[in-house]
Amino acid sequence: MSATSPSTPQTPATGTARVKRGMAEQLKGGVIMDVVTPEQAKIAEDAGAVAVMALERVPADIRKDGGVARMSDPDMIDGIIQAVSIPVMAKSRIGHLVEAQVLQALGVDYIDESEVLTPADEVNHTDKWAFTTPFVCGATNLGEALRRIAEGAAMIRSKGEAGTGNVVEAVRHLRQIRGEIARLRGLDNNELYAAAKELRAPYELVREVAELGKLPVVLFSAGGVATPADAALMRQLGAEGVFVGSGIFKSGDPARRAAAIVKATTFYDDPKTVADVSRGLGEAMVGINLDTLADAERYASRGW
Amino acid sequence: MTTAATGPAPGTAAPAAGPAAAPRVGVLALQGDVREHLTALAAAGAQAVPVRRPEELAAVRGLVIPGGESTTISKLAHAFGLLEPLRERVRAGMPAYGSCAGMIMLADKILDPRSGQETVGGIDMLVRRNAFGRQNESFEAAVEVAGVAGGPVEGVFIRAPWVESLGAAAEALAEYDGHPVAVRQGNLLATAFHPELTGDHRVHALFTEMVRAAG
């Protein structure tokens, strides 16, 4: 063994961009499920979830109950961390750096600075470079995604409209992001400066996206996925994986639906498999038509 | 930062020669960082293809099991009838390489398996999942790997496992913190870290050589 030879110092570096973004790369092709109890977390793990999002109320209940939605109780997050071996994520309010610090101290694997909770700062998001724990943030368009990445986000999810069981906004936001990336691909170097100004995003990031043809971090979809076909749709539209919030534990048979969504996410381009796993799942969550939702009730407009 | 997403630089890809020059190597594409392994294999001179079905497995000469969530990969392999075909191919001598979750999948035993978590097996070792800790403890460090010339590789350890104990037939190629983190047994190779995230394709070149040598 030459693993400890003096020429290769083994000083470990934690919290690097590669370690943070690399963590999200490991989640690709997978489903991240909202859970509110250790029992639900186990059901999610048994169904094949790649991670769980620990929160006090799923977005559908946050909508119903109203009031200020905050970071979850540390005891509840601990309970979920103890219950499963897969990564555990948790949400902080937008701009609430202390909630984020607390989540890092609790040892969660990813922090979602989330519009589903009530924003704590209407101007600034949290400086995510200051943390060892990686962050995922929502975005409705490319400029928003790049601003979050500039602040240190190591993963992006299209926002959709959480807690509605309606996939229409998830589709809109993912198409928007992908469409804007495709447009950048067609620009020459002179035009990229103006594009960066329009996107209100750093020029270096804009140029990187134009060259890669994708974000420099993993892109998932969130907000409104309720069926295996919804999950497969988001993957066909270019999402590298999906978050499912209320769609699982607000349905008739959560364990079966969760496993079915996992399978449909892997075989998203195989309609026969999606059909097979969609049989006999019981009731899907009821869902909300977006035209009945007042502007103030739209979470996707939170964040700037 | 270097990412593996941009594909091989011009001139490093395998020439368009016969199958002996560019062996067809699969990447198990149920979940995980499949694209990075496909890119690294192509840069190392293999013809890299994703594998999700038994018939796709039958068409490759070697297989990479990527990083990802080992419980998810195990459940999907079982649900889609891949676990037994994988075990048969590995028993029959197909070269296989696993990184992180892939290392767990190639281990004969897991110290702390979740209920119903099965592995393909093949390497006589006991692995401990998430051995280095949670994500906050994930780290990068230089790792010297026996059989990989040209200095240490950049070891990216993400909620990584380590090898708790190793059977006589298996050889530790690298250690970190007193635990084996790269292992070879015959045609099987496993690393606790993720070379596919670094843009350094030497470990994939070593594996591609193993596939070529296996014929």
Side-chain angles (χ1 to χ4, degrees), chain A residues 2 8 10 13 16 18-19 23 25-26 28 45 48-49 83 85 104 107 109 133 212 240 266 269-270, chain B residues 2 6 30-32 35-36 52-53 67-68 72 114 129-130 134-136 139-140 144 152 154 159 176 194:
Chain A
S2 55
T8 60
Q10 294 197 332
T16 63
R18 191 153 63 180
V19 160
M23 166 76 203
E25 303 286 354
Q26 308 312 312
K28 283 190 299 194
E45 182 176 57
S85 70
Q104 172 164 290
D109 296 291
T133 310
L212 289 176
E240 297 178 285
T266 291
D269 55 352
D270 180 346
Chain B
T2 46
T6 48
L30 296 172
Q31 189 273 318
R35 186 181 60 222
E36 287 68 23
R52 285 185 300 178
R53 300 176 175 87
T72 304
R114 306 308 288 182
R129 300 178 57 216
N130 307 334
R134 305 187 66 83
Q135 175 60 15
N136 284 337
F139 64 98
E140 296 182 37
E144 195 80 56
E154 300 169 88
R159 289 172 48 95
Y176 189 84
H194 294 277

Side-chain angles (χ1 to χ4, degrees), chain B residues 16 31 35 57 60 62 64 86 93 127 144 149 173 180 185 190 202-203:
Chain B
Q31 189 273 318
R35 186 181 60 222
L57 176 63
V60 297
V64 170
L86 281 166
V127 294
E144 195 80 56
L173 302 182
Q185 179 176 337
R202 286 177 292 161
V203 172

Side-chain angles (χ1 to χ4, degrees), chain A:
Chain A
M1 286 308 314
S2 55
T4 51
S5 80
S7 63
T8 60
Q10 294 197 332
T11 323
T14 57
T16 63
R18 191 153 63 180
V19 160
K20 290 173 169 180
R21 293 177 178 191
M23 166 76 203
E25 303 286 354
Q26 308 312 312
L27 301 172
K28 283 190 299 194
V31 182
I32 299 167
M33 302 182 190
D34 278 3
V35 297
V36 301
T37 64
E39 292 68 36
Q40 288 187 356
K42 278 188 203 141
I43 290 170
E45 182 176 57
D46 286 343
V50 289
V52 291
M53 179 73 71
L55 70 177
E56 213 132 290
R57 291 174 289 170
V58 294
D61 288 332
I62 293 175
R63 280 187 189 285
K64 204 171 66 190
D65 301 349
V68 174
R70 310 180 179 90
M71 177 189 79
S72 298
D73 180 338
D75 278 345
M76 177 268 180
I77 293 171
D78 273 345
I80 287 172
I81 287 176
Q82 296 309 318
V84 294
S85 70
I86 56 178
V88 176
M89 302 183 168
K91 290 181 193 290
S92 76
R93 283 180 265 177
I94 289 173
H96 203 311
L97 35 136
V98 173
E99 284 190 350
Q101 290 161 7
V102 168
L103 292 174
Q104 172 164 290
L106 290 173
V108 305
D109 296 291
Y110 239 90
I111 298 169
D112 184 0
E113 187 182 20
S114 177
E115 71 282 2
V116 170
L117 305 185
T118 310
D121 188 324
E122 293 192 327
V123 179
N124 306 293
H125 284 248
T126 298
D127 170 16
K128 293 164 272 289
W129 297 111
F131 290 76
T132 305
T133 310
F135 279 71
V136 55
C137 289
T140 59
N141 56 50
L142 181 59
E144 197 177 358
L146 295 182
R147 287 193 291 281
R148 297 295 85 78
I149 294 168
E151 295 156 1
M155 179 179 186
I156 294 292
R157 52 174 176 75
S158 56
K159 281 181 179 172
E161 195 54 48
T164 62
N166 188 338
V167 82
V168 65
E169 293 298 297
V171 169
R172 186 196 317 280
H173 299 155
L174 194 61
R175 280 201 187 278
Q176 178 72 27
I177 293 169
R178 300 266 302 169
E180 288 176 289
I181 291 173
R183 180 181 158 266
L184 282 190
R185 294 280 274 174
L187 300 186
D188 67 31
N189 284 341
N190 303 296
E191 294 168 315
L192 286 177
Y193 293 95
K197 202 170 149 192
E198 265 171 48
L199 290 166
R200 293 191 290 128
Y203 165 75
E204 288 71 24
L205 273 176
V206 170
R207 195 182 61 187
E208 189 178 359
V209 169
E211 281 167 7
L212 289 176
K214 64 184 278 302
L215 295 180
V217 302
V218 167
L219 173 63
F220 268 46
S221 172
V225 169
T227 68
D230 288 346
L233 171 65
M234 298 322 295
R235 290 224 54 203
Q236 286 199 19
L237 295 180
E240 297 178 285
V242 293
F243 285 83
V244 185
S246 320
I248 288 170
F249 289 100
K250 285 287 164 189
S251 75
D253 188 344
R256 265 190 93 167
R257 182 166 295 268
I261 290 176
V262 168
K263 291 172 185 166
T265 300
T266 291
F267 284 90
Y268 65 95
D269 55 352
D270 180 346
K272 192 177 168 303
T273 299
V274 178
D276 285 346
V277 303
S278 299
R279 291 173 207 278
L281 296 183
E283 295 271 319
M285 75 178 281
V286 176
I288 300 173
N289 285 317
L290 272 296
D291 46 15
T292 65
L293 208 59
D295 283 352
E297 293 169 357
R298 288 180 181 251
Y299 298 155
S301 60
R302 297 168 169 177
W304 14 90

